[in-house]
Amino acid sequence: MTRRPATAIAPSRDPYLLYLGRLGSADSRRAMQTCLDHITRMLTGDALEDATVTGQGQPWHQLRYEHTAWIREQIDQMDWSPAYQSKHLAALRGVLKEAWKLGLLSSDDHQRAIALAPFTGHREPAGEHVPDAVIGALIAACDTDRSPTGAVTNAGLRDAAIIAVLDACGLRRAELVGLQYADYDRARRMLTIIGKGNKQRRVPVNTFAARRVEAWLARRSTAPGPLFPRLSRGGMMRTTPDGRPWQMRPQAVRDILAKRAEQADAATVRPHDLRRTFISNLLPQADAIMTARLAGHASPSTTLRYDVRPDEEAREAVERLRVPPVASLLQDTHADRQRRFRTSSGLWGKDRRVRLPSRG
């Protein structure tokens, strides 16, 4: 690859753009774009941090096995986790598949180019477990956000409901901001969520979180639109030109948690850490299949990688194991062994022929 290919590739036939375009979520597109841009900079010799060099318009269809094998070697030399290394290979295979579907890459060249050994190894789950005390402190900080009349502000009610739902339902940022008023069944206390891959799931809301959501809805009203809309600096609900509540961006969820953590004098809490904590707390209460369904994971193996329960819980579980009795075993005498040998009823007789079972 070159920094600027000699022949321009039309966007409609660019494997890079087509591959990113078919990914199901903005987070997935952002992650895989980063991987493909890393690979592009490896091939062009630019610094990995040089954001001016991307994979758009690059001749991906010219890559052959000798090139992809070299790319794998470069990835292997990076100080990345095996999972992040594998993500780069997945992105590479994805863009090459698009090149093949466009007819730019033959089937033989495509199969050879993607025939790369997987990365192996394991790292402990990323992220942190958020203690209950910290979650409670975040919500308490929301409760202290009051107007001159002494009532909790709109932002305080909304943010407390957001934190309670993240804790009780384990939603992704994009899933939370995408929730509509109609997605919350107030009678059954259920959320209908559209997750990755446009997959729908239903998640129950526990009593604690439901109370926080109801307190927010009492202020929000029943207007259709986002369940947790954007607010102005004065705490008023911002609306679109047609009068509907304005949807927040996923980044706003991170900003809300950072603000409330600062007010609570706690370390910054990331939205995905609340998701990891939800899964870690649910696994002891439900099996991995149920936990995966509630978390919106396609496979329970993905769910198990989210288990970030603290080491203290593992230590307590080990301590609950049975304690072996400390005592000497009874001595087996020669006479005992001879007696067992004479009374044993094996299939072989003294003449080494198989004994037939009795017909009587």
Side-chain angles (χ1 to χ4, degrees):
M1 285 191 184
T2 59
R3 186 183 179 101
R4 291 184 175 82
T7 303
I9 299 176
S12 61
R13 291 183 59 78
D14 188 342
Y16 174 89
L17 295 178
L18 292 178
Y19 168 66
L20 296 178
R22 70 174 176 81
L23 296 178
S25 71
D27 287 341
S28 296
R29 287 191 290 273
R30 185 162 44 250
M32 289 312 196
Q33 180 177 355
T34 298
C35 292
L36 289 178
D37 291 347
H38 281 166
I39 293 172
T40 301
R41 293 160 196 163
M42 291 175 185
L43 290 165
T44 59
D46 292 287
L48 288 183
E49 300 78 16
D50 188 354
T52 63
V53 181
T54 73
Q56 182 175 349
Q58 297 290 353
W60 295 97
H61 59 284
Q62 294 180 2
L63 295 181
R64 298 295 183 265
Y65 172 73
E66 59 267 28
H67 307 127
T68 59
W70 180 86
I71 292 170
R72 188 196 181 283
E73 181 182 350
Q74 301 306 304
I75 295 172
D76 193 29
Q77 294 175 11
M78 295 295 172
D79 188 20
W80 294 336
S81 70
Y84 195 52
Q85 291 174 330
S86 298
K87 183 174 290 188
H88 282 72
L89 284 190
L92 179 61
R93 291 190 175 102
V95 75
L96 291 177
K97 185 175 182 179
E98 293 298 324
W100 167 72
K101 289 194 293 186
L102 287 167
L104 302 175
L105 190 63
S106 70
S107 295
D108 285 346
D109 287 335
H110 172 235
Q111 290 302 315
R112 292 191 184 96
I114 64 173
L116 303 171
F119 291 106
T120 59
H122 173 73
R123 296 290 187 276
E124 287 299 306
E128 298 179 359
H129 183 273
V130 184
D132 290 348
V134 173
I135 295 172
L138 296 179
I139 296 177
C142 299
D143 291 342
T144 60
D145 194 352
R146 296 181 178 269
S147 66
T149 62
V152 179
T153 64
N154 289 349
L157 290 173
R158 184 202 62 179
D159 294 356
I162 285 174
I163 294 169
V165 167
L166 289 174
D167 171 62
C169 302
L171 306 187
R172 302 176 178 95
R173 289 184 302 165
E175 293 172 345
L176 183 126
V177 300
L179 284 174
Q180 302 296 300
Y181 176 81
D183 293 333
Y184 181 51
D185 185 336
R186 302 178 74 170
R188 300 184 60 197
R189 297 205 318 250
M190 296 286 291
L191 283 172
T192 300
I193 300 156
I194 305 298
K196 279 188 175 182
N198 202 27
K199 295 178 182 177
Q200 186 183 81
R201 71 183 189 276
R202 290 174 62 81
V203 178
V205 181
N206 65 20
T207 303
F208 174 78
R211 287 173 181 165
R212 292 290 174 169
V213 174
E214 289 295 334
W216 159 242
L217 292 181
R219 188 73 60 83
R220 177 198 179 277
S221 80
T222 59
L227 184 62
F228 302 113
R230 191 183 300 187
L231 301 178
S232 67
R233 290 186 178 275
M236 300 300 294
M237 188 164 59
R238 300 184 65 180
T239 57
T240 60
D242 60 357
R244 293 172 60 88
W246 198 348
Q247 181 171 309
M248 291 193 300
R249 296 189 302 270
Q251 178 61 34
V253 180
R254 181 186 290 269
D255 296 339
I256 288 169
L257 288 176
K259 173 185 174 181
R260 299 305 178 182
E262 182 179 1
Q263 292 175 342
D265 197 23
T268 300
V269 176
R270 293 173 295 184
H272 220 64
D273 283 342
L274 288 175
R275 177 168 167 80
R276 294 182 180 99
T277 301
F278 163 77
I279 292 173
S280 301
N281 291 339
L282 188 60
L283 280 171
Q285 312 299 328
D287 57 60
I289 295 176
M290 174 63 74
T291 304
R293 181 167 72 85
L294 293 176
H297 285 153
S299 170
S301 61
T302 303
T303 304
L304 294 176
R305 293 201 296 268
Y306 275 66
D307 189 1
V308 290
R309 279 173 283 181
D311 293 340
E312 289 75 10
E313 290 193 24
R315 186 182 305 279
E316 291 174 3
V318 171
E319 290 292 345
R320 288 194 295 269
L321 292 175
R322 91 283 178 272
V323 177
V326 180
S328 300
L329 297 175
L330 296 177
Q331 295 298 319
D332 195 7
T333 65
H334 178 70
D336 292 332
R337 291 194 295 271
Q338 289 288 75
R339 184 165 54 253
R340 282 201 304 274
F341 179 77
R342 288 195 300 269
T343 58
S344 63
S345 55
L347 290 177
W348 289 101
K350 291 183 178 180
D351 55 358
R352 307 302 293 171
R353 290 184 297 181
V354 176
R355 292 176 180 173
L356 297 177
S358 172
R359 294 178 180 271

